[in-house]
Amino acid sequence: MSTIIYHNPRCTKSRLTLGILEEKGVNFEIIKYLDTPPSFDELKALLTDLNLQPRALMRTFEVPYKDNHLDDESLSEDALIQAMIENPILIERPIVRTANGVAIGRPPENILTII
């Protein structure tokens, strides 16, 4: 498995995480997830590997979160995952997947445990 970073070039933490990968000499693929959101199954797998519920991976202060009433506790996990696919700005970033696991680069040093 190759290393993948779900990256937003406008995000400072994402750029710092990318820098760590480069500094450590890791070969990786960049997925600009705002342009190419993960599929439902990919996002579900990331959540499973991160051991997180969907809302824990959501940027709850973003406008689509409020506009779509995603704070509604009756929403299913599948509905929240679908909302992240339809509004990828809601996905916390960056996410790095390696053969050793998955980590969120907040702080960027979090990825050191999987590279």
Side-chain angles (χ1 to χ4, degrees):
M1 166 186 272
S2 64
T3 297
I4 296 171
I5 179 171
Y6 293 88
H7 178 59
N8 178 350
R10 295 179 58 192
C11 171
T12 302
K13 300 291 186 205
S14 198
R15 290 192 309 268
L16 290 170
T17 301
L18 186 73
I20 290 173
L21 292 172
E22 291 170 339
E23 177 183 299
K24 297 293 184 184
V26 176
N27 292 320
F28 58 90
E29 174 186 354
I30 296 173
I31 296 178
K32 294 181 181 175
Y33 71 94
L34 294 176
D35 299 330
T36 309
S39 70
F40 185 92
D41 290 338
E42 288 170 325
L43 191 51
K44 194 162 189 152
L46 287 169
L47 286 162
T48 297
D49 292 344
L50 287 164
N51 196 30
L52 292 176
Q53 296 297 311
R55 198 170 272 113
L57 190 62
M58 295 179 92
R59 298 171 58 85
T60 59
F61 55 86
E62 295 288 351
V63 171
Y65 187 86
K66 293 172 180 56
D67 286 354
N68 292 297
H69 309 287
L70 298 175
D71 59 343
D72 180 348
E73 293 295 324
S74 70
L75 291 171
S76 69
E77 287 186 16
D78 287 354
L80 294 172
I81 292 169
Q82 188 61 42
M84 285 188 276
I85 293 166
E86 292 170 7
N87 302 281
I89 193 71
L90 294 172
I91 301 170
E92 188 60 81
R93 79 283 184 140
I95 301 171
V96 176
R97 174 185 288 284
T98 72
N100 298 322
V102 179
I104 301 172
R106 288 193 168 270
E109 295 78 18
N110 278 351
I111 69 162
L112 293 173
T113 61
I114 62 165
I115 59 174

